[in-house]
Amino acid sequence: MLWGGRFDDKLDNDALRFSSSLSFDINLIEEDILVSKVHSEMLFKIGLITETEFNQIQKGLNQILAEWKDEKWNLKQNEFEDIHSAIESKLTELIGNQAGKLHTGRSRNDQVATDMKLWIRKVLQNIIELLTVTQKVFVTLAEDNVETIIPGYTHLQRAQPVSFAFHLLAYVEMFEADKNRFKNILTEIEECPLGSGALAGSTFSLDRNFTAKKLGFKSPTTNALNSVSDRDYLLDFLNACSIGMMHLSRLAEEIILWSSSEWELISLSDKFTTGSSLMPQKKNPDLAELTRGKTGRVYGNQLSLLTTLKGLPLSYNRDMQEDKEPVFDSFKTYFSSLKIVMMMMQTVKIFKERFLNELQNDFLLATDLADWLVIKGIPFREAHEVVGKLVKYCEDNSKTFGDISLNEMQSINKIFDKSALECLNIKTSLQRKKTYGSPNPKLVKKQIADWKKRFNAK
Amino acid sequence: MLWGGRFDDKLDNDALRFSSSLSFDINLIEEDILVSKVHSEMLFKIGLITETEFNQIQKGLNQILAEWKDEKWNLKQNEFEDIHSAIESKLTELIGNQAGKLHTGRSRNDQVATDMKLWIRKVLQNIIELLTVTQKVFVTLAEDNVETIIPGYTHLQRAQPVSFAFHLLAYVEMFEADKNRFKNILTEIEECPLGSGALAGSTFSLDRNFTAKKLGFKSPTTNALNSVSDRDYLLDFLNACSIGMMHLSRLAEEIILWSSSEWELISLSDKFTTGSSLMPQKKNPDLAELTRGKTGRVYGNQLSLLTTLKGLPLSYNRDMQEDKEPVFDSFKTYFSSLKIVMMMMQTVKIFKERFLNELQNDFLLATDLADWLVIKGIPFREAHEVVGKLVKYCEDNSKTFGDISLNEMQSINKIFDKSALECLNIKTSLQRKKTYGSPNPKLVKKQIADWKKRFNAK
Amino acid sequence: MLWGGRFDDKLDNDALRFSSSLSFDINLIEEDILVSKVHSEMLFKIGLITETEFNQIQKGLNQILAEWKDEKWNLKQNEFEDIHSAIESKLTELIGNQAGKLHTGRSRNDQVATDMKLWIRKVLQNIIELLTVTQKVFVTLAEDNVETIIPGYTHLQRAQPVSFAFHLLAYVEMFEADKNRFKNILTEIEECPLGSGALAGSTFSLDRNFTAKKLGFKSPTTNALNSVSDRDYLLDFLNACSIGMMHLSRLAEEIILWSSSEWELISLSDKFTTGSSLMPQKKNPDLAELTRGKTGRVYGNQLSLLTTLKGLPLSYNRDMQEDKEPVFDSFKTYFSSLKIVMMMMQTVKIFKERFLNELQNDFLLATDLADWLVIKGIPFREAHEVVGKLVKYCEDNSKTFGDISLNEMQSINKIFDKSALECLNIKTSLQRKKTYGSPNPKLVKKQIADWKKRFNAK
Amino acid sequence: MLWGGRFDDKLDNDALRFSSSLSFDINLIEEDILVSKVHSEMLFKIGLITETEFNQIQKGLNQILAEWKDEKWNLKQNEFEDIHSAIESKLTELIGNQAGKLHTGRSRNDQVATDMKLWIRKVLQNIIELLTVTQKVFVTLAEDNVETIIPGYTHLQRAQPVSFAFHLLAYVEMFEADKNRFKNILTEIEECPLGSGALAGSTFSLDRNFTAKKLGFKSPTTNALNSVSDRDYLLDFLNACSIGMMHLSRLAEEIILWSSSEWELISLSDKFTTGSSLMPQKKNPDLAELTRGKTGRVYGNQLSLLTTLKGLPLSYNRDMQEDKEPVFDSFKTYFSSLKIVMMMMQTVKIFKERFLNELQNDFLLATDLADWLVIKGIPFREAHEVVGKLVKYCEDNSKTFGDISLNEMQSINKIFDKSALECLNIKTSLQRKKTYGSPNPKLVKKQIADWKKRFNAK
């Protein structure tokens, strides 16, 4: 135990189990040992420990990490309050009481804050990389589907024809936004809390610049109180995970719809579907469902930490120990979901011709027809009304834009002529789009090229 | 694997890890095996399996449970989708292909729904018992503090004197409300889903009444679709845990305040406090802080499942697998927090005299004085104004109700006489309370007696 | 203002705007006036006000309510802290300083707690009624669709055939569960907080039994402290609204799917769909989408109050004023969503034949075929494998269960004979279901009859 | 209505009320009219409307805005679906059917997305300014309290002495972090969605660069689908509000504690406190409580939109209309809370001498004493133990560091000498701090100077 002088009784066993964070902060072992090594180096540099002590501590810490990695450290989870206690205890075993010098001028408060920032920095880099990999998968798939016409939906009603490529590029943009969100967090963790002590710094002349630089930070933090009670970067991390999961949940929903018998737009690989224990014919998009479902836990984690931090007086309160599990879980859940989605899309089969005929016999080009009327000088609102009536005429007479005659169109409004029929051809519909950002294949190809350039630039 | 006939490829390894629920639904092993035993008994009863097969299955299941309890089952978590697959696979090892008959007429959907209801029933009973134990601890403490006068607060400002017993009994009521909330869930899980199949029942004449009764339910569920997609009872359970934690968080906040140097009303046992790794003098109410902090995760769990269920079409979707971890975690967190709070209060020391003098020299009896004026015929609003001015007079002149003279009082309002001074005595203030539900010691003793009678009745 | 004696300065204007609850607690005007009338009756009864004063107060309060209802009360929202202040001020205008006697022996804390319980009681009754109306609409629709075969889904993959009636009855059960959840809250609000004062009762001999009974409660509350700080019933109300909305969101999702061009199972009435400002052909299920979307705000409201209450010390804190808006909003949102869903379903058109042919040419009866094999003595797991292979054979050869020959089946497994083909007939599939709770039309009709009996019984 | 050609029936009245967004999107009137003016300018530029039509439209739109501002527009909320419909209808009244040309080449989807980005841009600027004003108030207060010694707390237990200035600067840093968080959102909304149509752009050659620049954006968005369904910036806004409120809730909690009779560190101005309707002596920190309490609704709003967006297929779904109310409410709540907190702190009175004597007779310098031992060559862990025992000795003998003798200290450990006593002087304790970021007055003054320089730089 790292304290005890003033206590008569030991912590109750139930209480130790209730309060120990070792089962999850063991995740931070590499960061914690690195921080201790740098801290001891600094203690040596400013003369608080000798070179021999410094060398002993380094050796001891290296050995602990090595034993841990080799699964040789028989760590008893129920005996320690946290990773810091466990390591100090083990270090004492290895090098004797000199281990007790390691904690000079530091508190678990600034130590764990430093550990967490290092850990977050590491996983941010992993996430950003995986997002790029995923974008590449989507762009590759898009490249193959620039001419694959599918209905674009609003309200899950068929709205206007788009290409599957265009649809995929919307997700590539979302992933880019996710990347930026995670990158912003990197700039939030540029200052090193180590040396802030419990809340008020130290009477020792700790060289905070040294430890900050050595640990890869830009500079030390400027207010010790804030240093130990700031969890903003974790909240921003949880928020970025939530928004990232929200994006994945939207795609997951679409994958589920597209895989249904009703849509039948894609077929997922056997490797990424499962069967039923009862119904022999089933092939279920479980992984997409799980991705959608796990959104709940990632939102829950974010809310959990927000709730925990509400109304806490400064500076450190033990409540804050509850910051770790939600963060670890959101990372794991988001990262693995992203990877699974990436792999699902890498192996998906698209039925490119699925919608072509069906869309020809539908009303998705109603807007284009209204636009045609506008060109003829009719105010858009009136044009909208005219085409609306035409659609109603078709429905009442079981017709579609695929088999309506010019005569019938003229019975609704005389202005229609042959050229109006041209804008009812689904196959050329994308080409008729003129605006920047539209699914016009020329523009989509340009977007794809731009993305590829960007990936190479990195 | 429980399926595979129609698949060319096996599930990807990452995908299996992502989707397997075994790491947490192993929690349900006792329930799952019980359900299988009862199901096989029914299959035998209706002639779908022979007596020999039935006996083999029973024996095999018993052995699996025994091995599990003896920690002899070397269960490889990464090889199975879930507890059901793992058990069926192990059963096949033990008794051969006859194990394949166990799944006749059932799906994992109805099976896991039944498992969960059994598990919830079990933990509800544990929680209800612990709540009663906790109430008893509080009532015992109250009994010893009927005359312990403390300031009652509103807005964390001293409002009126109350007794510590009266304060404790407010929590006893909250625990009673919690108990009722958990009991209501018992009535929500009286119907057995087993026999609902995947979503549409079975072509076999399964005897659902038999299995329902045997498993301790009142009757089978009446709609197979709803049976496999209903998670209401889990949401109600999570809600009850959230409200329970909210109650504990309020008490935790008070314990933290009461333990502060500023309040100094209680002293927690060394067994339920911890120290600082840096500051030798610290004795921290960590367990109360953790209880308050863990409220976040319990709220988060509730939100997590609510989010997951939002907008899911009927019937079962794999998203629903995400129901278990939040439920298991909320149970564990709430139950252990309650236990810790109970133990903290069992060992707490109250400084009974802490506030007596201080309150005498304060303004907590201002309302009583206003009431005195009302009796003299002054409308309450005016009486309030008069006493307000008296308080202001005191503050402006650095006086308190403890040292103001009758003359001074009369300078504010002539109506004051000697009897007014009597209602400024803090020691007799509780006795002057007349309403049912007030901290009058006579009434509080009656409440304590009522609670004890109720505990004995159970 | 209801206070001020001890203050030098008036509340800042921004601060008044920030803190005033009048804009929303005006919702409680009827309850608040009723409470005041009953309170003054009691004050008269115990001799704290005279008959004349009592009559004046009654008359004044009646007039205020009447003016409010006639929209003649020119209430300036920015001048009052809350509804109680506004009413007392108005009453003073009407009857003079005797109005100041009304607040004798009570606080806004116990008053507003009583108001809220009365308000909740009222809306609970409205909700329960509307749930019954909705159930009747669903049962009526079910009655007409006992033979309407649709695919039952798990994982949004076609699983087994069910009837539309069977599907609807799952929702009828959910509404019943909702009703029970709301009814439970009625039992939670049987005790009256009036007379609890600010937190510690009163030195007056208030007759709390009288006011409790007169206001329709069973009895007064037993602990004044808990009485003014208890918000459990509001949390339970918010939870019931959340679960209710979750149910509606599931139905909304299904309505959206069923209305899509891909499903085309239903057509919503023009009265409950909207168009697009741009695309003339669009007919969108906006009301279902909004219902699904509004689930977010109802969850948010629940979380909002849970967060607010976390860690508050006893008794009343001003934070608690934040209980009202979420409760009012969740009521309004849930109630209007339920009503809209009820009306949508009342006017929906079902395309009863939509799926019949398609299902015949699908694999939904795979489970029945496996069951057939079980009857022939094959262990279910093996039967599952055999049928799985048959499905794969069909898929590889572009066949369905509608056009596979007995020969082909026998090439997979010799055991198949003519009778196996019988269980591949979709039209008779429901009739072959044997279990209680299944979609067998006989059972579904029985369920419908049971529901109707239950509605009549009420 | 902006649609209707294809419909037989009008929208049901209940349904209109349920779905209309006019009551809240009226907030966007200035932005909506600006967008329409720029859009029509572009339509004129590319020849889709004539100069006369353009002028008419401008004039009409200007008039509508003017009437609105002058409260002359008698807008019937129950007649319109949204602000866009209301304006188009009013414009038609004013300028006739040419109004129908305004909607050419645009959809409400891209229009409202543009409106919202403009609105967010505006409020971001307001928030950032108010945060700077608040920082200045805190820095000014800090400047006056560099030597005001208060206990620094961890676990709400007195830990080490700090200055009130140091404590305030922690909040100044939090506000700076908030500012950066809001500024990041500005870079997220640099692209203009206008011209994206409903989801797929337009067949007209709309000049999206023109409208983007004219509206102050950097460029048009690059994918129409993503443009209309992206709500990330609103989620980030809600997150920034949540974290901002969390910071305020921590300060609010401290203000409440500091105002309590137990702490008595500050006195709030009468302008920012309220009284009790019942208890004449009360002076409550209601505004701090409300700020803390309102954290719940801001969290709730964030969760609300996250939930709403979960699992929505692309592109626009009506669910998304539910994005506005939470955003408007979180802005209003956070902005007004920040303003109130700023004003409270501007008028607060600090009791600078409150803690001085009390801290001298406490154990807050235990760490400094342990540090002293370290300098003497004792490993920190041992030094910690020694000082812990000294604290225990004091407690057991009712002594403090203020009255312990050197003899007594030496009875615990011989190494103590006179110089040890020097580090037990509270008055010089801050000066002894050496680390960057500590409460050493020299460093704190430097921080204050740095902040002031930064404010001037802006």
Side-chain angles (χ1 to χ4, degrees), chain A residues 153-154 262 276 282 384, chain C residues 153-154 158 262 276 282 384:
Chain A
Y153 298 85
T154 61
E262 287 69 20
S276 157
K282 291 299 290 297
H384 184 287
Chain C
Y153 297 85
T154 60
R158 294 176 183 175
E262 286 69 21
S276 157
K282 289 300 289 296
H384 184 285

Side-chain angles (χ1 to χ4, degrees), chain A residues 14 233 252:
Chain A
D14 272 319
Y233 63 104

Side-chain angles (χ1 to χ4, degrees), chain A residues 435-449:
Chain A
T435 47
Y436 180 73
S438 74
N440 185 311
K442 253 185 297 181
L443 293 167
V444 170
K445 279 177 194 161
K446 174 73 169 58
Q447 288 300 326
I448 289 174

Side-chain angles (χ1 to χ4, degrees), chain B residues 12 17 23 49 61 95 134 172 271 281 284 332 370 406 453 457:
Chain B
D12 174 88
R17 251 193 311 276
S23 65
I49 60 174
L61 290 170
I95 68 166
T134 308
V172 177
K271 290 189 176 191
Q281 90 282 11
N284 297 324
K332 192 185 148 195
L406 188 54
K453 211 182 299 168

Side-chain angles (χ1 to χ4, degrees), chain A residues 363 390-399, chain C residues 283, chain D residues 6:
Chain A
F363 301 108
L390 191 64
V391 169
K392 196 169 145 28
Y393 168 86
C394 287
E395 293 219 319
D396 290 349
N397 295 279
S398 304
K399 298 229 164 190
Chain C
K283 182 177 158 186
Chain D
R6 70 155 289 182

Side-chain angles (χ1 to χ4, degrees), chain B residues 172-407:
Chain B
V172 177
E173 291 201 351
M174 293 181 222
F175 296 136
E176 190 69 15
D178 291 330
K179 246 197 273 187
N180 289 331
R181 198 167 288 106
F182 285 110
K183 281 179 187 168
N184 278 340
I185 301 169
L186 280 172
T187 71
E188 219 180 328
I189 52 171
E190 288 176 339
E191 299 184 348
C192 181
L194 196 65
S196 298
L199 78 159
S202 176
T203 63
F204 299 122
S205 301
L206 308 174
D207 187 343
R208 296 191 61 207
N209 278 303
F210 176 83
T211 48
K213 291 282 145 106
K214 199 89 184 185
L215 289 166
F217 292 95
K218 262 194 169 169
S219 57
T221 52
T222 52
N223 180 290
L225 206 59
N226 191 32
S227 305
V228 298
S229 70
D230 170 29
R231 295 296 183 271
D232 284 13
Y233 63 104
L234 296 180
L235 291 172
D236 279 320
F237 180 78
L238 291 172
N239 182 55
C241 290
S242 286
I243 299 183
M245 278 306 283
M246 183 271 284
H247 291 154
L248 296 181
S249 79
R250 300 186 72 170
L251 181 60
E253 170 87 4
E254 299 201 308
I255 289 174
I256 295 162
L257 291 176
W258 295 339
S259 304
S260 70
S261 296
E262 286 70 19
W263 245 271
E264 239 177 7
L265 175 60
I266 64 171
S267 171
L268 293 173
S269 157
D270 281 8
K271 290 189 176 191
F272 295 98
T273 44
T274 62
S276 156
S277 66
L278 177 65
M279 299 170 287
Q281 90 282 11
K282 291 299 290 297
K283 181 178 157 186
N284 297 324
D286 286 60
L287 300 168
E289 293 166 82
L290 277 171
T291 298
R292 185 179 60 184
K294 284 175 187 292
T295 309
R297 77 194 289 154
V298 173
Y299 288 6
N301 287 333
Q302 180 176 11
L303 166 67
S304 165
L305 186 55
L306 278 168
T307 303
T308 294
L309 293 174
K310 178 220 154 194
L312 292 188
L314 300 189
S315 60
Y316 182 80
N317 301 278
R318 186 71 178 265
D319 315 54
M320 288 173 172
Q321 175 176 304
E322 290 288 313
D323 62 349
K324 282 170 209 67
E325 280 172 291
V327 165
F328 293 161
D329 186 73
S330 278
F331 165 63
K332 192 185 148 195
T333 305
Y334 172 62
F335 191 82
S336 59
S337 300
L338 180 59
K339 197 171 165 196
I340 285 290
V341 163
M342 181 268 287
M343 293 194 294
M344 259 194 289
M345 293 303 278
Q346 213 168 18
T347 53
V348 76
K349 192 179 157 190
I350 320 287
F351 301 116
K352 296 188 182 186
E353 307 291 311
R354 159 67 175 95
F355 279 111
L356 207 55
N357 285 332
E358 212 167 301
L359 296 195
Q360 189 57 57
N361 292 313
D362 207 328
F363 301 108
L364 281 84
L365 295 174
T367 312
D368 294 18
L369 196 59
D371 287 355
W372 182 93
L373 288 166
V374 166
I375 299 289
K376 297 287 170 190
I378 296 181
F380 179 76
R381 189 58 57 225
E382 206 179 315
H384 185 285
E385 180 80 13
V386 168
V387 179
K389 282 189 179 142
L390 192 62
V391 170
K392 193 167 145 32
Y393 169 85
C394 287
E395 294 220 318
D396 290 350
N397 295 278
S398 304
K399 298 231 164 190
T400 70
F401 279 3
D403 56 8
I404 193 167
S405 71
L406 188 54
N407 271 354

